[in-house]
Amino acid sequence: MGKLEENKQSKQSRLLDTAFALYTTKGITKTSISDIVNAAGVGKGTFYLYFRDKYDIANHLVAHRGRSICHQALRDLAKTEIELPEDRVMFVLNSILDHFQREPVLLRFINKNLSWGLFKQAIHQDEPGVEHFLKEIFRDSISEWRDLETMLYLIIEMVSGSCYSVILDHDPMPLEEFKPHLFFAVRCILKGFHDLKTV
């Protein structure tokens, strides 16, 4: 990567990091583009090279942070010797949930949009997308499963819908107590899509 490209990425990252800090302290509506560029130390023209408005940068932030979390989970998975696809799914899921547990401000910023749309937006940038993600998880056994994208959709929607209040409010229980119930439900979905393929 050349010096010019590094400089552009550095400015874009500064804008994203600054916007996240301001949005999570002041809120999006009370944060202006001037606030962002002044705190980031760049001009307004630089802002408009990358983003249309303050809502566009918010969407980029959600995708950027989501992508980072998904890719980190896959990198961590690659360091393990976990072989069974079901266990690999559990590892990645656990990694993502633990990240949000450690950074609840990110989950609150994303709000309840931690869903299929966010997931697809996050992993489609700079990677081949959902297919790549599935191949990383299921590897050589990918042909043994029926309709993996639908299965992944069901899992993500169930997890996102049930874990928001659990992580932020410990309602109906703290995350560590909730995980066994959640993972049991995820394994049931996985089993159904595997059994249906082999019937």
Side-chain angles (χ1 to χ4, degrees):
M1 181 186 304
K3 188 97 171 160
L4 182 63
E5 188 60 32
E6 281 181 18
N7 191 35
K8 284 172 64 178
Q9 284 193 357
S10 171
K11 286 181 180 178
Q12 187 177 23
S13 293
R14 270 204 329 266
L15 285 166
L16 285 165
D17 292 342
T18 303
F20 182 73
L22 290 169
Y23 287 170
T24 54
T25 53
K26 294 175 63 173
I28 294 177
T29 54
K30 292 182 180 176
T31 300
S32 68
I33 291 173
S34 294
D35 293 333
I36 296 168
V37 297
N38 290 339
V42 300
K44 268 193 180 178
T46 301
F47 179 93
Y48 289 112
L49 282 175
Y50 305 107
F51 311 107
R52 289 188 306 277
D53 53 37
K54 66 180 184 176
Y55 300 102
D56 185 42
I57 196 172
N59 291 336
H60 276 78
L61 261 174
V62 169
H64 175 72
R65 294 294 174 112
R67 182 171 62 251
S68 175
I69 293 167
C70 289
H71 290 179
Q72 185 59 55
L74 289 178
R75 284 192 296 272
D76 292 343
L77 177 63
K79 297 173 189 170
T80 72
E81 296 182 4
I82 299 171
E83 291 296 326
L84 289 176
E86 297 92 330
D87 295 337
R88 293 172 68 79
V89 170
M90 294 304 122
F91 180 92
V92 169
L93 185 56
N94 191 61
S95 174
I96 292 169
L97 289 173
D98 285 350
H99 185 99
F100 283 117
Q101 178 85 340
R102 289 189 305 273
E103 197 177 356
V105 68
L106 175 59
L107 182 59
R108 201 173 293 281
F109 173 71
I110 290 173
N111 202 349
K112 291 194 178 184
N113 295 320
L114 177 62
S115 63
W116 181 245
L118 166 63
F119 175 77
K120 285 187 81 170
Q121 183 183 9
I123 64 173
H124 266 290
Q125 297 185 20
D126 304 324
E127 289 289 347
V130 174
E131 296 79 14
H132 168 78
F133 187 83
L134 291 170
K135 284 177 184 170
E136 288 292 309
I137 299 286
F138 292 91
R139 298 189 307 187
D140 295 337
S141 71
I142 201 161
S143 62
E144 299 173 15
W145 298 78
R146 182 185 68 88
D147 205 351
L148 278 171
E149 195 165 322
T150 301
M151 182 186 72
L152 190 60
Y153 167 81
L154 288 169
I155 291 170
I156 288 170
E157 289 295 326
M158 181 186 68
V159 171
S160 64
S162 62
C163 287
Y164 183 81
S165 295
V166 169
I167 291 172
L168 293 179
D169 305 320
H170 306 289
D171 185 24
M173 64 190 73
L175 181 61
E176 289 309 313
E177 287 179 37
F178 184 66
K179 277 181 182 177
H181 306 289
L182 178 68
F183 293 166
F184 173 77
V186 171
R187 285 186 185 277
C188 287
I189 292 173
L190 289 163
K191 184 177 186 320
F193 276 79
H194 193 249
D195 287 349
L196 284 167
K197 176 69 181 178
T198 54
V199 165

